[in-house]
Amino acid sequence: MPPISVLLADDQPMIRTGFRLILEAEGDIEVVAEASDGREAVAEAGRMSPDVVLMDIRMPHMDGVEATESIIRSNPSSRVIVLTTFDLDAHVVDALRAGASGFLVKDGPADSLVEAIRTVATGDAVLAPRVTRRLLERFAVMPSDTPAVPPRLDALTARELDVLRALARGVSNAEIGRELGIGETTVKTHVAHILDKFNLRDRVQAVVLAYDCGLVTPSPQPTNHSR
């Protein structure tokens, strides 16, 4: 199998160097290009068609959200992992909506970076349930009562809707299974059906769908200022 090709996009050279050193120690990953701003990231992605782009969310000339949207539009097979300094960055939601397959906090462990790249390269997503919960708690709220099913979600069965609601809360497959009294394999099947019915790339996009359809609603203002 050819190595997973990676583009590093970050305006800090030391960050890019550190990531390169981590990734080049892995035999199945190859850093094929670097970019110091959003415009350069889009250009390099067009030139190299990397399997995975590590995208800093805050960069000059073009931010990571706009760059992600442009790359996904031009290179549908490329996967983007957004990098942020804080796991409660409001722009992360925008990046996920733009097509990112997940996000990582820059000060996380090196093995989480490597595992994330391998995960998204296979078509899956990286969205840790704990971090998803914290993100939604800050920038969104769940309705206090069970909302009516939005018209866009009419294609879902009752069980699939239950699974989507759980996904929107950042619940893992194992936790969903325990909540609903079904096996984890069955949960994965329901998730696959949701993705297929709405032509979604991964479970991250399912969370965005739930947010956009009103299963998760915008918070009027942030209530947790911790980092």
Side-chain angles (χ1 to χ4, degrees):
M1 293 289 292
I4 300 167
S5 58
V6 176
L7 164 63
L8 302 178
D10 196 294
D11 61 336
Q12 299 181 55
M14 290 183 65
I15 294 291
R16 298 199 306 271
T17 298
F19 285 157
R20 178 181 282 274
L21 290 174
I22 291 170
L23 299 180
E24 287 185 342
E26 305 297 323
D28 61 336
I29 298 175
E30 179 184 6
V31 177
V32 295
E34 295 185 18
S36 59
D37 61 56
R39 291 177 185 170
E40 189 177 356
V42 172
E44 287 299 310
R47 184 174 69 90
M48 300 300 299
S49 296
D51 297 316
V52 178
V53 180
L54 292 183
M55 178 74 73
D56 185 15
I57 204 165
R58 299 174 183 270
M59 289 188 294
H61 305 306
M62 179 187 291
D63 65 26
V65 175
E66 187 178 353
T68 294
E69 186 173 17
S70 181
I71 289 172
I72 296 300
R73 183 171 58 249
S74 302
N75 305 275
S77 62
S78 293
R79 296 278 175 157
V80 177
I81 300 174
V82 171
L83 301 170
T84 180
T85 304
F86 306 111
D87 59 5
L88 295 181
D89 193 329
H91 294 287
V92 167
V93 175
D94 296 327
L96 298 179
R97 182 174 282 108
S101 292
F103 72 96
L104 295 174
V105 181
K106 287 184 179 181
D107 61 0
D111 58 351
S112 68
L113 173 66
V114 173
E115 185 60 31
I117 289 173
R118 289 173 178 153
T119 297
V120 301
T122 64
D124 209 338
V126 178
L127 200 60
R130 176 184 62 83
V131 178
T132 306
R133 287 194 194 99
R134 293 185 64 196
L135 192 68
L136 293 178
E137 284 169 1
R138 181 172 172 84
F139 299 109
V141 293
M142 299 298 297
S144 58
D145 53 358
T146 302
V149 179
R152 283 187 62 194
L153 301 181
D154 281 348
L156 298 180
T157 66
R159 181 60 83 193
E160 289 166 353
L161 191 61
D162 289 339
V163 171
L164 181 58
R165 286 195 178 101
L167 288 177
R169 301 196 331 266
V171 180
S172 70
N173 286 347
E175 291 170 321
I176 294 173
R178 288 194 293 271
E179 282 187 11
L180 301 181
I182 57 179
E184 188 171 353
T185 300
T186 302
V187 174
K188 291 179 180 179
T189 299
H190 287 311
V191 172
H193 288 166
I194 293 169
L195 301 185
D196 183 62
K197 287 181 178 181
F198 293 96
N199 194 28
L200 303 174
R201 290 164 58 90
D202 48 46
R203 65 191 289 129
V204 171
Q205 295 303 298
V207 172
V208 173
L209 172 71
Y211 190 103
D212 288 341
C213 286
L215 294 182
V216 185
T217 58
S219 176
Q221 62 180 14
T223 56
N224 179 357
H225 298 285
S226 62
R227 290 180 173 179

